[in-house]
Amino acid sequence: MSSEQDHLKETDTEARFEFKKEERSAVKSDKGLTEEVVRLISEDKDEPDWMLERRLRALQQYQNMPMPTDWPGQPDLTELDIEEIVPYIRPDVDKREGVDDWTELPDEIKDTFDKLGIPEAEKNALSGVGAQYESEVVYQNMQDQWEEKGVVFMNMDRAVQEHPELVKEYFMTTCVPPSDNKFAALHGAVWSGGSFVYVPEDVTVEMPVQAYFRMNSEGMGQFEHTLIVAEEGSEVHYIEGCSAPKYGSHNLHSGCVEVFVEDDAHVQYSTVQNWSKNTFNLNTKRAIVESNGTMEWVSGSMGSKATMLYPCTILKGRGATDTHITIAFAGEGQDIDTGAKVYHNAPETSSTIESKSISKDGGRTNYRGLVHIADGAENSSTAVECDALMFDNESTSDTMPYMEIEESKVDVAHEATVGKIGDEDVFYLQSRGLDDDDAKKMIVAGFIEPITEELPIEYAVELNRLIELEMEGSLG
C-alpha cells in the first residue's frame, strides 16, 4: 500500500469518508418512482419475469401506503421528496457481474475503495468482500476454501440469475414482505445490488465476510438488499459498512436485510453506518430464528440527517436466542431514531437488548423498542438496557420501550439511564494530564466499550474514530 493510502487509513478518517468523485454512469433513471423507472431497472438487469412481477406488486403497495407520520416523536420526514430522488444509477464499469480483481476496476472507483481501506481489510481479516458503488456491486470475491465447502457469497443481482429457487423462496416473502411498511414496499420496487450469503449445514465460516456500500452521486437513492441463509448448525459473521459524501440536496438510503437462522445456527450481523448529514437513512432489517439458533445484531448509526432503524428478530423455535447491541450518535440537526424489536413466539427463548446513545449540540437520539412475548412462550426471558449520554442542555435523548407480555411464566427486566458528562469526571481526568476534549473522548470511549468489544479490531478502531470526529463536528 502506498504511503498516501497509509496516511488515509491510519490518520485521516475524515478524508477517507468526505471525498467526492465525478459521477460517471452507464445508465441513470429519471427521478421519482414510476412504473417506467421500475421496468427500466428490471430490463437493465435482464431479470426474469417473476422478479419484475414482484417489483410491480411492490410498487402498487407503495403507492397505496401513506407516509409514516403518526409515530410519537418520530423524525421529521417532510423534507424527503421521493419524486426528487434518482433511484437507479449503474456505474460505468466493464463487467456487469462485478470483478474479482481490484485492478480491473476503473481508476476512480478503485481509488474510492482504496481510500476506504477495503482491499487492505480483505487481505488481512476477511473471508470474502463485496463492494457496491451507487446501485451495483462492482467487486465480489470469496476465498476458495469457503467456496469449496459450498458457501455462496455473491451480489443479489447475480443470485437472481444463478440461484432462482432460493431467491424465490426467501426474497421478501416471509421475513420482510413489501406490505410490511412503505419503505419496504419502496425497496421491493427499486432494489438493486446487495449481498446473497448461503452457508451450508454444519459449515463455520471462521473469518467475517464484508460488504461495503458507497453512495457517490448527489440526490440518489441506494436500495441494496442483503439476504443471509444459515443452514442447520452453520455459523457466519457478516459485516456491513456504509458511507456517502455531503451534498446540498438530500440522498436516501433504504436498504433491506433478511436473515434466516436455521436450527442450531449462529449469525452475527455487524454494521457501521456513516452517512452524511443530507441523507435520510430508513431501513428494514429482520431475522427469523429457528430452534436453538442464535442471532446477534451489532450496529453503530451516525452521520445522517434522520435515521429510522429498528432491527427485528422473530424467535420462532424453542431455545432460540437474540442479542441486540446498538450505538447511536446525533449532532447538530440530526435525529437518530433507533432501537430493536423482538418477538418471542416459542418457549425457552431469550433476548438481550443493549442500547447506547450520545447526543451533542442540540442533536436528538431516541431508543424505540418492542419486546413481545406470546402466550405459550413460557420460560422465556428478556433484558433491555438503555443508556444515554448528553453533552449539553440543548441535546435530547428519549427512551420509548414497549413491552407486550402475554405469558406469565417469563422473566422480564428493563433498565434505562440518562446522564450528562459530569464536570467531576472531566476534572478528574484533567488532573491526570488530559485536556478537556481528550477527557470527554475518553469518557465516551468507555461508555461505548460494550459495543466496540463486539466488533473486529479494525472496525472498533474505526467506530471510535468516527465518533471522535462527530464530537469535533468534522464530518459532513
Side-chain angles (χ1 to χ4, degrees):
M1 193 165 62
S2 70
S3 58
E4 177 186 6
Q5 290 167 351
D6 273 324
H7 174 71
L8 282 165
K9 180 172 175 56
E10 295 174 7
T11 64
D12 199 346
T13 303
E14 180 182 357
R16 289 175 59 199
F17 291 102
E18 286 299 281
F19 65 90
K20 303 171 183 177
K21 296 288 184 179
E22 182 180 352
E23 180 187 311
R24 286 182 54 192
S25 59
V27 175
K28 182 176 181 178
S29 72
D30 292 334
K31 294 180 179 179
L33 186 58
T34 64
E35 182 173 331
E36 288 73 23
V37 167
V38 172
R39 288 185 178 277
L40 178 146
I41 295 171
S42 188
E43 181 179 356
D44 190 54
K45 295 177 180 295
D46 194 25
E47 289 181 339
D49 290 342
W50 60 265
M51 180 54 76
L52 173 59
E53 291 168 2
R54 290 192 182 191
R55 288 184 182 274
L56 293 174
R57 284 199 301 269
L59 172 64
Q60 186 175 33
Q61 290 171 310
Y62 168 81
Q63 293 170 335
N64 291 333
M65 289 181 180
M67 186 73 80
T69 57
D70 58 350
W71 291 17
Q74 76 168 63
D76 183 4
L77 302 181
T78 56
E79 292 185 37
L80 174 60
D81 185 355
I82 301 296
E83 298 309 309
E84 291 298 314
I85 296 292
V86 178
Y88 184 67
I89 298 177
R90 172 158 64 86
D92 188 8
V93 295
D94 292 334
K95 291 187 178 182
R96 288 294 307 275
E97 69 274 13
V99 302
D100 59 5
D101 185 338
W102 290 105
T103 62
E104 295 183 33
L105 288 173
D107 288 344
E108 70 275 8
I109 296 180
K110 180 179 180 296
D111 181 61
T112 294
F113 291 106
D114 278 342
K115 287 180 176 179
L116 293 166
I118 307 305
E120 191 68 13
E122 178 183 17
K123 284 189 288 188
N124 293 334
L126 299 170
S127 293
V129 166
Q132 179 160 332
Y133 193 83
E134 313 293 34
S135 297
E136 288 212 347
V137 173
V138 295
Y139 176 88
Q140 192 91 38
N141 193 29
M142 186 79 183
Q143 289 186 5
D144 292 342
Q145 62 175 310
W146 305 118
E147 290 185 346
E148 291 168 0
K149 293 183 178 181
V151 177
V152 178
F153 177 46
M154 63 176 56
N155 70 68
M156 272 304 309
D157 296 305
R158 184 178 165 196
V160 170
Q161 305 292 344
E162 297 188 13
H163 299 278
E165 295 309 313
L166 283 172
V167 176
K168 282 182 182 179
E169 179 180 357
Y170 291 109
F171 184 93
M172 301 196 81
T173 52
T174 58
C175 194
V176 183
S179 59
D180 187 79
N181 63 77
K182 189 173 182 70
F183 291 103
L186 169 65
H187 176 93
V190 297
W191 75 271
S192 182
S195 300
F196 176 68
V197 181
Y198 176 83
V199 187
E201 185 175 341
D202 294 326
V203 172
T204 296
V205 183
E206 294 169 357
M207 292 191 297
V209 295
Q210 183 198 16
Y212 200 96
F213 302 102
R214 176 72 175 181
M215 270 197 294
N216 179 70
S217 298
E218 182 173 10
M220 75 165 291
Q222 193 172 70
F223 305 94
E224 81 284 350
H225 192 95
T226 298
L227 175 57
I228 302 171
V229 180
E231 295 285 16
E232 183 175 349
S234 65
E235 185 169 347
V236 67
H237 182 187
Y238 177 89
I239 301 175
E240 174 188 277
C242 314
S243 67
K246 183 180 180 181
Y247 287 104
S249 58
H250 293 131
N251 282 28
L252 170 63
H253 177 248
S254 187
C256 181
V257 175
E258 299 183 285
V259 185
F260 293 84
V261 185
E262 299 300 332
D263 294 353
D264 298 298
H266 181 181
V267 175
Q268 180 173 335
Y269 178 97
S270 302
T271 179
V272 177
Q273 300 196 13
N274 178 42
W275 300 111
S276 57
K277 290 183 174 66
N278 60 292
T279 300
F280 286 88
N281 184 28
L282 310 169
N283 294 314
T284 306
K285 300 183 178 186
R286 187 167 298 151
I288 298 176
V289 187
E290 301 292 348
S291 297
N292 298 311
T294 300
M295 180 68 203
E296 296 182 65
W297 303 92
V298 181
S299 61
S301 300
M302 62 199 73
S304 63
K305 178 179 179 62
T307 288
M308 297 176 71
L309 175 60
Y310 323 100
C312 173
T313 300
I314 300 171
L315 299 174
K316 184 179 177 183
R318 180 185 292 270
T321 301
D322 175 64
T323 301
H324 288 259
I325 303 175
T326 66
I327 181 168
F329 188 106
E332 181 181 2
Q334 294 177 283
D335 193 341
I336 310 299
D337 199 281
T338 60
K341 295 191 287 186
V342 185
Y343 291 86
H344 293 254
N345 290 347
E348 300 175 14
T349 51
S350 64
S351 63
T352 302
I353 300 171
E354 185 173 0
S355 171
K356 302 275 188 178
S357 62
I358 303 167
S359 52
K360 178 179 180 285
D361 296 332
R364 175 182 180 266
T365 59
N366 180 43
Y367 168 81
R368 190 186 303 270
L370 168 66
V371 175
H372 175 90
I373 302 182
D375 183 21
E378 60 184 19
N379 300 320
S380 294
S381 64
T382 184
V384 181
E385 181 179 348
C386 304
D387 298 321
L389 190 63
M390 294 182 291
F391 273 71
D392 48 61
N393 293 327
E394 291 74 36
S395 301
T396 58
S397 181
D398 298 317
T399 302
M400 298 181 180
Y402 296 89
M403 298 279 190
E404 299 175 350
I405 312 300
E406 298 176 354
E407 170 62 49
S408 59
K409 297 179 180 178
V410 295
D411 187 5
V412 177
H414 177 263
E415 178 182 348
T417 62
V418 179
K420 290 177 60 178
I421 289 184
D423 293 338
E424 292 181 1
D425 295 332
V426 174
F427 178 77
Y428 173 80
L429 293 172
Q430 287 177 323
S431 72
R432 296 297 186 268
L434 299 179
D435 62 24
D436 183 75
D437 287 342
D438 286 340
K440 290 178 179 177
K441 289 176 184 177
M442 180 171 285
I443 292 170
V444 169
F447 179 73
I448 67 171
E449 185 176 2
I451 312 296
T452 56
E453 67 184 9
E454 294 296 323
L455 292 169
I457 184 64
E458 295 88 351
Y459 299 91
V461 171
E462 192 70 77
L463 181 59
N464 273 308
R465 181 61 184 137
L466 286 170
I467 288 177
E468 286 180 8
L469 287 169
E470 290 282 3
M471 291 169 63
E472 297 166 4
S474 299
L475 288 177

